[in-house]
């Protein structure tokens, strides 16, 4: 019996794959006896380090079923039993040492694979409650990730065939509408995941996350791992400085209003604040600065003076702010 990998078609160079042989004519498992170095009854038979086994004794003429009992590490057990007829019509080889007729049976196993789930989330605008904007963590669609080998990844057959060298790109995926992306059919081993581009309105997350796929048992064809990433939302900061028009001295006590220049939509595309709404009043402090404390979403805004400091006339000047998306590496606009 030759143990082989169903994908590479190469011998699996792992010892101790266990087989039994069932006699279909006599409806019983085959037991064979050896007497050297001690008498022993064999009911199971095991491959050597070359993935090969030969029964200690000849089989009688008849029909047999080869059953795998224990799969080699890294593989699932195969229940696609192989049947063989021991008769003059079956092809065989002659062993040059023992002069026995050898019937070779190839028995294939599927290597266990890994399935990686990547989840991406970030804060999305959901509402406005007349005091501030409300956000909640949601899955982010359209974010691109790359998966790399964290070590040399070889075929499971122990033949030494390199599939991916360390740091080699293995897969590139994009998150779906729910913020998920999957990579399937990964050979067992260690990987790392990096975000390579994010969606508009968010800052690129440069941290790499590790994923590991380890053999569980012969009845588990797929092992799973999941990594998650959270993106920081790009923030808006608006500050107004109040000066004396002649002396340029900084003035306190000026009241400003900040307005949105266009409709503000929530994550579902619904208008939650109509254009030209007074969002907040800001008063300049002792250093002449009036700071917006709202957690504003990206967009376009303008500021008007609502009340001047004592002894001054209000300015009719309207200050506009374009706080649109400025790129994935800028946290604050």
């Amino acid at each position: 019996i030759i143990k082989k990998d169903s994908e590479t078609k190469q011998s699996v160079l792992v010892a101790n794959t266990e087989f039994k042989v069932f006699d279909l004519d006599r409806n019983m498992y085959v037991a064979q006896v050896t007497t050297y170095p001690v008498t022993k009854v064999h009911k199971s038979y095991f491959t050597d380090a070359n993935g090969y086994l030969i029964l200690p004794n000849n089989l009688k003429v008849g029909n047999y079923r080869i059953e795998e009992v224990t799969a080699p590490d890294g593989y699932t057990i195969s229940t696609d039993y192989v049947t063989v007829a021991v008769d003059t019509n079956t092809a065989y080889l002659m062993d040059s040492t023992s002069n026995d007729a050898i019937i070779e049976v190839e028995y294939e196993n599927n290597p266990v694979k890994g399935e990686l789930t990547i989840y991406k989330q970030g804060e999305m605008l959901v509402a406005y409650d007349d005091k501030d904007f409300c956000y909640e963590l949601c899955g982010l669609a359209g974010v691109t990730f790359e998966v790399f080998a964290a070590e040399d990844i070889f075929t499971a057959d122990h033949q030494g065939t390199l599939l991916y060298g360390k740091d080699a790109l293995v897969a590139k995926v994009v998150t779906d509408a729910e913020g998920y992306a999957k990579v399937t059919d990964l050979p067992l081993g260690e990987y790392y995941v990096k975000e390579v581009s994010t969606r508009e309105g968010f800052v690129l997350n440069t941290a790499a996350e590790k994923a590991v796929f380890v053999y569980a048992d012969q009845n588990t064809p797929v092992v799973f791992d999941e990594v998650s990433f959270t993106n920081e939302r790009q923030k808006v900061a608006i500050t107004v400085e109040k000066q004396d028009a002649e002396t340029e001295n900084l003035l306190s006590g000026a009241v400003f209003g900040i307005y949105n220049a266009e409709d503000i939509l929530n994550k579902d595309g619904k208008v939650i604040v109509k254009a030209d709404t007074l969002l907040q009043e800001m008063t300049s402090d002792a250093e002449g600065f009036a700071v917006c404390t709202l957690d504003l979403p990206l967009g376009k805004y303008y500021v008007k003076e609502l009340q001047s400091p004592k002894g001054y006339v209000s300015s009719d000047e309207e200050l506009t702010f374009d706080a649109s998306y400025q790129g994935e590496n800028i946290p604050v606009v």
Side-chain angles (χ1 to χ4, degrees):
I1 301 172
I2 304 172
K3 170 56 60 180
K4 289 199 170 184
D5 184 301
S6 64
E7 294 181 351
T8 68
K9 306 303 180 183
Q10 297 293 313
S11 295
V12 179
L13 305 184
V14 178
N16 295 322
T17 301
E18 181 182 358
F19 289 95
K20 287 187 175 182
V21 180
F22 188 77
D23 188 328
L24 294 169
D25 299 325
R26 299 169 182 82
N27 197 33
M28 61 185 294
Y29 284 99
V30 172
Q32 294 190 346
V33 179
T34 56
T35 58
Y36 179 84
V38 294
T39 300
K40 182 177 180 180
V41 177
H42 301 270
K43 295 182 179 179
S44 290
Y45 309 93
F46 299 86
T47 58
D48 61 15
N50 294 314
Y52 181 86
L53 76 83
I54 184 168
L55 297 184
N57 300 316
N58 293 331
L59 291 173
K60 296 178 180 180
V61 172
N63 298 287
Y64 299 88
R65 182 174 66 220
I66 313 301
E67 300 181 2
E68 186 173 61
V69 179
T70 305
D73 284 350
Y75 292 85
T76 55
I77 192 166
S78 175
T79 55
D80 294 331
Y81 299 141
V82 177
T83 58
V84 60
V86 177
D87 57 28
T88 56
N89 294 320
T90 301
Y92 62 90
L93 302 171
M94 292 302 299
D95 187 280
S96 60
T97 302
S98 66
N99 291 321
D100 288 327
I102 306 296
I103 298 173
E104 288 190 348
V105 174
E106 293 184 355
Y107 208 103
E108 293 187 349
N109 287 75
N110 296 322
V112 172
K113 294 300 179 72
E115 181 175 304
L116 172 63
T117 299
I118 302 169
Y119 178 62
K120 186 64 179 181
Q121 64 177 1
E123 288 185 336
M124 299 285 283
L125 179 62
V126 292
Y128 176 69
D129 63 4
D130 295 329
K131 294 181 180 179
D132 208 347
F133 292 90
C134 303
Y135 301 84
E136 67 179 27
L137 283 173
C138 302
L140 299 182
V143 181
T144 303
F145 291 92
E146 290 180 341
V147 181
F148 299 86
E151 60 183 358
D152 288 345
I153 305 291
F154 297 91
T155 54
D157 55 21
H158 288 256
Q159 291 277 355
T161 305
L162 182 66
L163 293 173
Y164 302 105
K166 186 177 184 296
D167 298 318
L169 176 63
V170 176
K172 187 173 184 177
V173 291
V174 179
T175 55
D176 62 18
E178 303 299 322
Y180 288 97
K182 289 185 182 295
V183 183
T184 60
D185 208 35
L186 288 169
L188 300 183
E190 295 187 4
Y191 301 83
Y192 62 91
V193 185
K194 295 180 68 175
E195 180 179 315
V196 294
S197 67
T198 189
R199 62 178 290 169
E200 184 173 311
F202 291 88
V203 181
L204 185 71
N205 187 333
T206 58
E209 295 291 336
K210 189 175 182 180
V212 181
F213 300 99
V214 179
Y215 182 66
D217 56 57
Q218 64 183 15
N219 297 309
T220 305
V222 181
V223 291
F224 301 89
D225 201 359
E226 180 174 330
V227 296
S228 62
F229 291 78
T230 300
N231 277 72
E232 294 297 325
R233 175 172 46 86
Q234 195 172 64
K235 302 296 181 67
V236 176
I238 295 178
T239 301
V240 180
E241 184 181 75
K242 181 63 176 177
Q243 296 180 349
D244 184 296
E246 296 179 357
T247 67
E248 296 186 353
N249 290 333
L250 299 178
L251 302 176
S252 63
V255 179
F256 296 92
I258 183 168
Y259 301 79
N260 52 308
E262 54 192 7
D263 291 344
I264 297 177
L265 313 180
N266 66 6
K267 69 180 183 67
D268 299 319
K270 179 183 178 181
V271 176
I272 56 173
V273 182
K274 292 184 177 181
D276 303 312
T277 297
L278 174 61
L279 300 174
Q280 187 182 55
E281 293 185 1
M282 310 174 295
T283 302
S284 60
D285 57 20
E287 296 180 348
F289 292 105
V291 179
C292 176
T293 59
L294 295 176
D295 190 359
L296 295 170
L298 297 178
K300 295 181 180 180
Y301 301 90
Y302 61 92
V303 171
K304 296 192 298 186
E305 186 175 50
L306 303 179
Q307 180 181 321
S308 62
K310 290 183 179 180
Y312 289 87
V313 177
S314 293
S315 171
D316 294 330
E317 184 180 7
E318 188 174 284
L319 305 175
T320 60
F321 298 87
D322 186 356
S324 300
Y325 183 57
Q326 300 295 316
E328 59 189 17
N329 296 310
I330 300 176
V332 181
V333 179

